[in-house]
Amino acid sequence: MSGVRVAVIGLGAMGLPMAAHLAGEFPVTAFDVDAERRADAVSRGAAEATTPAGAAADADVVLLAVRDQQQVEAALFGPDGVASSLRPGAVVVLTSTVGPQAARDTAARLPDHRLVDAPVSGGPTRAGCGDLLVVVGADAEALAVAGPVLDRLASTCTVVGPNPGDGQALKAINQLLAGVHIAAAAEAVALARGIGLDPAAVVAALGKGAASSFVLSDRGPRMVEAYADGAEVRSRLDIFVKDMGIVSELARESRVPTPLASAAHQLYLLGEQAGLGAADDSAVVTVLSPKGR
Amino acid sequence: MSGVRVAVIGLGAMGLPMAAHLAGEFPVTAFDVDAERRADAVSRGAAEATTPAGAAADADVVLLAVRDQQQVEAALFGPDGVASSLRPGAVVVLTSTVGPQAARDTAARLPDHRLVDAPVSGGPTRAGCGDLLVVVGADAEALAVAGPVLDRLASTCTVVGPNPGDGQALKAINQLLAGVHIAAAAEAVALARGIGLDPAAVVAALGKGAASSFVLSDRGPRMVEAYADGAEVRSRLDIFVKDMGIVSELARESRVPTPLASAAHQLYLLGEQAGLGAADDSAVVTVLSPKGR
């Protein structure tokens, strides 16, 4: 085992498999507000802490894998937060997608420690086998500490720039494209169905030409399933409510019109209003053309 | 040379390379309203006709490669149109993207002949080497006549159904996705530029993950060029004004909401209003964030 001691805060769809995979190489102490998730982490090789401060107390690298900026703030600066127990020289790795400004603000509130801005993508399965894509904003000193942990998690690690927020900026552009592509695939499947084509055949036929995308190949078949039994939840719809909100805010601040990203954001909001927030994001297709119609 | 005699009507960006490639296997007679385009076709192995009727008079297969339904009607039913000289048993192959209803209407106006609905995609370079994607609506009898011609043009030929309009329906879904993906790539490049990232680096970094698409890899670098010298015209922007119009009409008729396709249509209209109709479609990025700003 390596000497780097790791704390993982947040044991959800991404945090739990990351904690388990990290525990194969490092001593890991894990925290989640949910005791059942903590027990899952223990069964997969981690030690348990009952507060963020407890998890971070001995750690060289504290990895945050929570849902949004509100949870980041609670984990770091709330009661028994990480900030209250962080050792000198320890670094905080932020894997959540929160937007550039939130990453910069968080770094500013940790003046005595370095923040590695490192939003991840790839989903739970890839999180469990070190096959994530990570886009990083961090300086060389922070990377010297956090590097072994990022290497364990990522198959592709792109350092965008030296500052917190740089990784979030690239991740936001990634989410703009992925979020629009999912909504476009939904429109394609719904319209194919509406004009009497077989959606599964359409997805297969268009998978290699000018219309092809990772999303069409990945979500297209799940959208077809959404009309049958519903697709297994691999990535929650409300993640894109949050992430397209980050995109919209960036676009507004930089005065760049993004009408498609805005329309996609509205579709995810409609999906959430329809009770699909915790469903697989492919369920957004049923907003456009409901099941049974 | 095969015994199938071919007429090609329309010698634009797609028609000219198709005529030249067909002339390598079949006797081809070519027509365009522009005498210079006809001379180009002659220099590439075709015979020339000065009217559509003249081109079609001896043909077994009449291939229409004109821009839109208005040109289809002029070529078939206008003065000296194809319909006035079409031989018994000859078939008309419609390679233009005009929408399902226009293809059905056209077939209905040719009661004594078969229409092969066969919209193509792939662009001029692939048109010149038999590497097109063709989606077909035609019955077995029509395909028996037109098959050798389609085989010469296409690397992938998908027969969607037996009726004219079936090929157009699938092509419309293809264009929905491609048109939205181009607009999404434009938003990604414009926003990356707006928040201070290097757009070329962003396009390269996102080319393999969840954000990847054929369009991002193909148009992304041309959008970066659009801010330098402007990209070479491979596919005109006003093609997507037409094709997203077809998508919008289909969506309206079938009562399926397609907010992203509509937003993309508006962006192409804005591009056309800005004088970019004949520019490469990647120039749509300059509508969102103008050159020099």
Side-chain angles (χ1 to χ4, degrees):
Chain A
M1 282 232 175
S2 155
V4 181
R5 289 157 298 179
V6 181
V8 177
I9 312 291
L11 300 169
M14 296 297 286
L16 184 61
M18 286 198 284
H21 188 66
L22 287 168
E25 184 171 342
F26 308 103
V28 171
T29 306
F31 169 77
D32 192 280
V33 290
D34 181 341
E36 218 170 289
R37 307 295 296 186
R38 298 200 299 266
D40 281 349
V42 169
S43 76
R44 297 171 70 176
E48 177 185 11
T50 56
T51 65
D58 289 323
D60 303 300
V61 174
V62 177
L63 190 121
L64 294 176
V66 296
R67 185 175 300 170
D68 54 25
Q69 181 61 10
Q70 198 180 339
Q71 293 189 359
V72 169
E73 301 210 350
L76 290 177
F77 309 113
D80 296 315
V82 166
S84 66
S85 73
L86 210 53
R87 298 172 58 241
V91 304
V92 174
V93 177
L94 175 60
T95 69
S96 315
T97 299
V98 296
Q101 192 56 51
R104 287 190 287 265
D105 292 347
T106 304
R109 291 176 67 186
L110 292 167
D112 300 328
H113 293 86
R114 284 196 150 71
L115 182 77
V116 175
D117 170 26
V120 301
S121 61
T125 305
R126 293 170 70 177
C129 57
D131 190 24
L132 292 172
L133 309 176
V134 187
V135 286
V136 178
D139 62 22
E141 212 164 321
L143 284 174
V145 181
V149 172
L150 295 176
D151 286 345
R152 173 80 180 165
L153 294 174
S155 54
T156 305
C157 186
T158 302
V159 179
V160 183
N163 299 311
D166 293 341
Q168 296 288 336
L170 184 58
K171 179 69 190 289
I173 307 292
N174 184 81
Q175 295 306 85
L176 182 160
L177 286 162
V180 168
H181 290 177
I182 291 170
E187 290 189 1
V189 167
L191 184 57
R193 201 166 162 258
I195 63 177
L197 294 171
D198 171 17
V202 168
V203 167
L206 301 183
K208 284 182 182 165
S212 65
S213 69
F214 169 80
V215 156
L216 183 65
S217 303
D218 185 65
R219 302 304 207 284
R222 288 151 76 180
M223 289 179 182
V224 175
E225 278 172 44
Y227 286 113
D229 300 327
E232 180 201 354
V233 181
R234 289 196 223 160
S235 181
R236 288 166 60 116
L237 187 143
D238 56 12
I239 294 288
F240 273 107
V241 172
K242 165 177 75 76
D243 289 0
M244 297 311 271
I246 291 169
V247 169
S248 296
E249 194 182 332
L250 269 183
R252 192 170 60 243
E253 285 168 2
S254 58
R255 303 287 192 276
V256 175
T258 52
L260 278 78
S262 292
H265 190 196
Q266 300 298 317
L267 277 185
Y268 295 116
L269 286 166
L270 284 167
E272 195 175 53
Q273 290 288 348
L276 299 170
D280 192 68
D281 57 31
S282 60
V284 74
V285 70
T286 64
V287 173
L288 296 169
S289 84
K291 265 177 103 155
R293 282 200 63 183
Chain B
M1 282 233 176
S2 154
V4 180
R5 290 158 297 179
V6 181
V8 177
I9 313 291
L11 300 168
M14 296 298 285
L16 184 62
M18 285 198 283
H21 188 66
L22 288 169
E25 185 172 343
F26 309 103
V28 170
T29 305
F31 169 77
D32 192 282
V33 291
D34 181 340
E36 218 169 289
R37 307 295 297 188
R38 298 201 298 266
D40 282 350
V42 169
S43 75
R44 296 171 70 176
E48 177 185 11
T50 56
T51 64
D58 289 323
D60 303 301
V61 174
V62 177
L63 190 122
L64 294 175
V66 296
R67 184 174 303 168
D68 54 25
Q69 181 60 9
Q70 197 179 341
Q71 293 189 359
V72 168
E73 300 210 351
L76 290 177
F77 309 113
D80 297 315
V82 166
S84 67
S85 74
L86 211 52
R87 298 172 59 240
V91 304
V92 174
V93 176
L94 176 59
T95 69
S96 315
T97 299
V98 297
Q101 192 57 51
R104 287 191 286 265
D105 292 347
T106 303
R109 290 177 67 186
L110 291 168
D112 301 327
H113 294 86
R114 285 194 149 71
L115 182 76
V116 175
D117 171 26
V120 301
S121 61
T125 305
R126 293 170 69 176
C129 57
D131 190 24
L132 291 172
L133 309 177
V134 188
V135 285
V136 178
D139 60 23
E141 212 165 322
L143 284 173
V145 181
V149 172
L150 295 176
D151 286 346
R152 173 79 180 166
L153 293 173
S155 54
T156 305
C157 187
T158 302
V159 179
V160 182
N163 300 311
D166 292 341
Q168 297 288 335
L170 184 58
K171 180 69 190 288
I173 307 292
N174 184 81
Q175 295 305 86
L176 182 161
L177 286 162
V180 168
H181 289 176
I182 291 171
E187 290 189 3
V189 167
L191 184 56
R193 201 165 161 257
I195 63 178
L197 293 172
D198 171 16
V202 168
V203 167
L206 301 183
K208 284 181 183 165
S212 65
S213 69
F214 169 81
V215 156
L216 183 66
S217 303
D218 185 67
R219 302 305 207 283
R222 288 151 75 180
M223 290 179 181
V224 175
E225 280 173 42
Y227 287 113
D229 300 327
E232 180 200 351
V233 181
R234 288 195 226 161
S235 182
R236 289 167 59 117
L237 186 143
D238 57 11
I239 294 289
F240 273 106
V241 172
K242 165 177 74 73
D243 289 0
M244 297 311 271
I246 291 169
V247 169
S248 296
E249 195 182 332
L250 269 184
R252 192 168 62 243
E253 285 168 3
S254 57
R255 302 289 192 275
V256 175
T258 52
L260 278 77
S262 292
H265 189 197
Q266 301 298 318
L267 277 186
Y268 295 117
L269 285 166
L270 284 167
E272 194 175 55
Q273 290 288 348
L276 300 170
D280 191 68
D281 57 31
S282 60
V284 75
V285 71
T286 63
V287 172
L288 296 169
S289 84
K291 266 178 104 154
R293 283 199 64 184

